[in-house]
Amino acid sequence: MQKSLFKLTLLATLILGVSACSGDNKTTDESAASSDAKAAKTLLYCSEGSPAGFDPAQYTAGTDFDASAYPIYNGLVQFKRDGTEIQPGLAESWDISEDGKTYTFNLRKGVKFGKTDYFTPSRDFNADDLIFTLKRLTNPDFEFNKAYPAEFPYSVGMGLPDIISNIEKVDDYTVKVTLNEVNAPFLQNLAMPFAYINSAEYADQLMASGNEPDINNKPVGTGPFVFTSYQKDAQIRYTKNPDYWDKDNIYIDNLVFVITKDSAVRAQKVQAGECHVSAYPKPAEIESVKKSGKATVLDQPGFNVGYVGYNVEKPKLSDLKVRQALDMAINKDAIINAVYQSEGLKATNPMPPTQWGYDDSLKDAPYDVEKAKALIKEAGADNMNIDLWYMPVQRPYNPNAKLMAEMLQADWAKIGVNAKLVTYEWGEYLKRAAT
C-alpha cells in the first residue's frame, strides 16, 4: 500500500495538501478555522474522526495517536522519519549492558512541559517523569493506577509488564531499566506513541484533587503543541509550546483539527482551502484530486498491514479448518484491485516488506473455493452464521472497509457461510471491540 508523511504529526497515511484560500458555505466552526488560517502560521488538518481520548497509553488507534501523542507528547526515543531506525528523543543517549538486559538512559536537560490553563509546571522534565510513565504502563499496583484504573493494550500486548524487571533512578537525569530477558525491539517499542512521556508532577496534582481521569481529557506533555480545546466531532485546537525544546523544527503557531468523517468531504475541503491537509483518502478519490489541480497528493510505500481477525472464542471459528476455509475463499486479488485500486500487496507475513523482520520465504494460502467448501463440510460448518465487523473510518491499511466487508461477505457466501455486516460509530466500535 502507499502512504505519505505529514511532517507535523508523522502520519503514516496518504495526504492531500493545498494552500489556504477562502471557501463558501462553511459552518460556524469552519469559518472560525478559516479565519485563523489567514494568519500565516495556522495549519488546518482535516481529521477523519474524534479521538476516544488524549492519553495515548490507553489506545491503539491512529485517530487517537494523531490527536494526542504526536502534537502534545514526546517519546523517550523516536523513529527517524521514513523508517524504523531509532534516534534520541527525551533521552539524549543510552547505554546497553553487554548482556543486553540493562538500558541506561541519559535524559535531555532543559525540556519544558507545556503550560495550560489547568496546569503550570514548576520544574523541567526529569527522571521522575520517565519512571512514572514506565511504572504506570507496567505495574497495576502503581499508586496512580489504583486511583485511575485503565487498560494499556499496547504495553500488555508487547509484554512490557513481563519484560521489565526493574526501573531505577540513578539521578535526576539518568534512569536504568533492567529487563528479565533480552528483547530486540525494546527501543522500537518505547518509540511508539503508547510509551510517550507523562508529567509526574501533573499526575500528583490530579491525585491530590481527585481528578485522575483528567489525564485523558486535559493532556499535558513536552511536545510541540499545547492542548487548548476540543469539541467532539467538530474541532481540536492546539497552540505552539513556546518553550518546546526542538522549537527550530516547528513552523506554525496554531494547529486545528477539523473533524470531518467523510473522506470525500475532506478532499473537497482541501480543494476549497478549508483545510490545508487531509489524511486517509479513498484510492478512488486520488485521481480526481490530482486532475483538479487544486491539491497536491503525496505518497510513498507504507508500513501498514490490513488483516481479517477471527474471534476464536466463538463457536466454529475456534476450528482451524474453518479459518483455513474462510481464508482460501477470499479473492484477495479482487479486493486489492477494488479496495486499494491495485496499490496493495498481498500479505504473507504479519508485517510489510518495508519492516525489519519480514520473511520473504513465507507463502500465501492459495485461493481455492472448492477446497474451502470441502474444509467447511469436514468441520460441520455448513450454513454457518457469523458477524463480520467493518470500520466506519478510512485507514491506509483499509481505505474502504465497507466495500471490503461486502466482498468478503460475497466470497464466503460461495462456501455456505453467511456473514452479517456490523459497524458502529468509531468510538463505540473501538469500545465494543475491546470487550
Side-chain angles (χ1 to χ4, degrees):
M1 288 168 282
Q2 294 291 104
K3 70 128 183 179
S4 285
L5 192 68
F6 175 31
K7 68 179 180 181
L8 293 177
T9 58
L10 302 180
L11 298 178
T13 64
L14 282 165
I15 66 173
L16 309 177
V18 69
S19 301
C21 62
S22 61
D24 298 326
N25 302 318
K26 302 180 184 71
T27 65
T28 302
D29 285 336
E30 289 163 358
S31 296
S34 287
S35 295
D36 285 348
K38 293 177 182 177
K41 294 187 178 180
T42 292
L43 187 140
L44 308 178
Y45 168 56
C46 259
S47 66
E48 82 291 352
S50 294
F54 292 89
D55 174 22
Q58 298 186 45
Y59 303 109
T60 61
T63 303
D64 306 313
F65 293 155
D66 295 346
S68 62
Y70 303 120
I72 301 169
Y73 296 93
N74 289 125
L76 185 65
V77 293
Q78 57 194 31
F79 294 115
K80 285 188 177 180
R81 186 168 294 178
D82 296 339
T84 57
E85 185 179 348
I86 293 300
Q87 66 182 8
L90 294 183
E92 283 189 314
S93 63
W94 51 90
D95 300 302
I96 305 174
S97 63
E98 287 188 12
D99 65 3
K101 295 182 181 180
T102 300
Y103 290 72
T104 302
F105 295 99
N106 306 303
L107 306 184
R108 190 178 299 275
K109 296 179 180 178
V111 174
K112 311 289 185 184
F113 281 95
K115 180 180 178 181
T116 71
D117 59 4
Y118 47 85
F119 176 67
T120 300
S122 67
R123 63 165 177 80
D124 291 352
F125 158 77
N126 65 26
D128 293 336
D129 304 305
L130 173 56
I131 290 170
F132 168 82
T133 300
L134 292 180
K135 286 189 174 181
R136 182 176 178 233
L137 288 172
T138 58
N139 182 4
D141 294 324
F142 186 50
E143 187 178 9
F144 193 86
N145 288 339
K146 289 182 178 179
Y148 176 54
E151 295 183 358
F152 307 117
Y154 257 131
S155 178
V156 172
M158 293 179 174
L160 289 190
D162 298 321
I163 292 169
I164 295 177
S165 65
N166 189 51
I167 304 165
E168 176 188 350
K169 178 179 178 179
V170 178
D171 58 43
D172 282 347
Y173 291 95
T174 310
V175 174
K176 185 180 294 185
V177 180
T178 303
L179 310 184
N180 285 312
E181 58 188 27
V182 175
N183 185 261
F186 180 63
L187 287 176
Q188 276 80 3
N189 290 345
L190 292 185
M192 294 184 66
F194 79 91
Y196 282 13
I197 305 302
N198 288 110
S199 164
E201 183 185 17
Y202 180 48
D204 288 341
Q205 173 182 303
L206 294 178
M207 289 191 68
S209 62
N211 293 315
E212 294 87 353
D214 278 352
I215 199 170
N216 194 31
N217 306 316
K218 297 178 178 180
V220 170
T222 61
F225 296 96
V226 174
F227 175 80
T228 303
S229 65
Y230 170 47
Q231 295 171 276
K232 184 176 173 60
D233 296 334
Q235 278 191 3
I236 314 171
R237 288 177 173 265
Y238 313 81
T239 56
K240 183 171 71 173
N241 179 357
D243 299 315
Y244 185 50
W245 58 274
D246 194 21
K247 65 177 67 178
D248 290 343
N249 286 316
I250 302 302
Y251 305 102
I252 61 174
D253 297 315
N254 302 289
L255 173 64
V256 181
F257 277 40
V258 182
I259 298 169
T260 310
K261 295 182 179 180
D262 187 276
S263 174
V265 175
R266 292 198 299 274
Q268 291 167 7
K269 284 187 175 183
V270 172
Q271 293 174 89
E274 295 172 16
C275 286
H276 300 107
V277 176
S278 171
Y280 310 117
K282 293 180 179 177
E285 297 162 0
I286 294 173
E287 283 306 312
S288 63
V289 171
K290 286 180 178 178
K291 291 176 182 177
S292 76
K294 297 178 180 179
T296 301
V297 179
L298 308 174
D299 61 70
Q300 67 184 58
F303 288 83
N304 315 296
V305 175
Y307 63 92
V308 178
Y310 301 114
N311 185 347
V312 296
E313 294 183 357
K314 296 290 185 181
K316 300 298 184 183
L317 289 177
S318 61
D319 190 327
L320 176 60
K321 288 182 179 179
V322 171
R323 299 196 302 275
Q324 289 175 328
L326 292 173
D327 188 38
M328 288 183 184
I330 299 172
N331 188 339
K332 297 174 186 175
D333 290 331
I335 288 175
I336 288 172
N337 291 334
V339 176
Y340 299 97
Q341 301 294 295
S342 300
E343 292 292 330
L345 178 70
K346 269 196 293 191
T348 59
N349 283 214
M351 59 187 70
T354 46
Q355 292 276 31
W356 70 276
Y358 178 80
D359 185 351
D360 58 9
S361 70
L362 296 178
K363 304 301 178 185
D364 190 25
Y367 171 53
D368 191 331
V369 175
E370 294 307 314
K371 187 172 182 179
K373 285 181 182 178
L375 284 172
I376 284 289
K377 188 172 182 180
E378 285 178 33
D382 306 71
N383 297 313
M384 180 174 71
N385 296 308
I386 59 174
D387 288 343
L388 175 59
W389 288 33
Y390 67 90
M391 301 183 301
V393 296
Q394 293 82 36
R395 283 289 179 271
Y397 54 82
N398 195 339
N400 192 338
K402 184 174 186 291
L403 175 58
M404 182 183 288
E406 291 169 345
M407 296 180 74
L408 290 172
Q409 183 185 48
D411 284 342
W412 289 343
K414 295 173 184 176
I415 62 171
V417 174
N418 307 307
K420 176 186 176 184
L421 302 188
V422 178
T423 194
Y424 300 93
E425 183 274 330
W426 185 227
E428 183 67 16
Y429 181 98
L430 292 173
K431 187 184 301 182
R432 288 174 178 259
T435 58

